[in-house]
Amino acid sequence: MNPFASLFDRKPAPMIGLDVTSSSVKLVELSWTAESGYVVDRCALETLEAGWVVDGAIEKFDEVAEAVERVVKKSGTKAKNVALALPSSAVITKRITLPAGLSERELEIQVESEANQYIPFSLDEVSLDFCVVGPSPTAAEDEEVLIAASRKEKVAERQALAEAAGLHPVVLDIDSYAARAVAMEQIKRLPNEGKDLIVALFEMGSMSTAMQVLQNGNVLYERDQGFGGAQLTQLIVRQYGFSVEEAEQKKRDGDLPEDFASTVLAPFIESTAQEVARALQFFYTSTPFNSVDYILLGGGGASLDGLVETVASNTSTVCKLVDPFEGMQLSDVVRNKQLRNAKTASYLGACGLAMRRFTL
């Protein structure tokens, strides 16, 4: 489900998913065949320097636009249509209940009226969208409607970024929704196709980790946690005296001193696992639930050697690394080039955005 799908014109054409984070720009292009299902046609990643994107805001527009151009060229895609996402912190969402059977215009009037109660800005300052989720679980004559709103300048920023790189923005999603789309595909691979299982998804980024707890397609709990891969970079800087740029590069290249694994990495992994366990405790104390059946780790910070096992040990819960491309066929281009030695968990958001091509 995508609350922002109508903010841009929709055109039925090949489309790439473009995930812009504080550390990188990632691109994924998918197609579909009746025989194989999803096919990964293209994927590529371009790193960003620290400070170019901060808390989802693009601070160095020209530099990021050039990085987008590079990642498009690197991927070899010919597609121009693109799906992007805003960070969840930049979007206000609210589920409301309205009478079923309203016309589109009647829905718009009702949504605008309701939105005034939940949005702390003038409606003239926001891009507002909505979608009908389905029948109300409490009243047969009503239906649930999801409202989504963001400041117009945030929407315009993403649109301008795509256009500066020669792309045509057709979908603007929310990053947590994109990650969730991939997680739901992963959950289908669990026992009994994941029915009734409670699954905690942790998307581990550079500056923070987004947690979602899911059951039967519903979100039971969401929370952003203040830990991420940038903390490992800072530990490397303090331990070895590298600059931040040197530490990031050496971390990506695996070019670190021999004692890195024992002196820096192992304590960081243990600390991260404890943060995951603490986040789950917040979930247990805030909801009627006292356990989860599975933990899924995704995002760029999830691929550290030993992290999955340490999280499983600290939480006494089965933990799995999310490979967004699991079960998908890889094109020859991707198999031979872009995914060689790549950490596929980092493509979580971009893959979810690429999947939007098939739900327009």
Side-chain angles (χ1 to χ4, degrees), residues 228-239:
Q231 293 177 350
L232 178 57
T233 302
Q234 291 299 325
L235 290 174
I236 294 170
V237 169
R238 288 200 293 268
Q239 180 70 22

Side-chain angles (χ1 to χ4, degrees), residues 1-4 107 111 129-134 144-148:
M1 179 177 53
N2 169 39
F4 276 163
L107 271 174
V111 164
D129 202 1
F130 65 92
C131 67
V132 176
V133 178
E144 284 195 340
V145 177
L146 178 67
I147 300 175

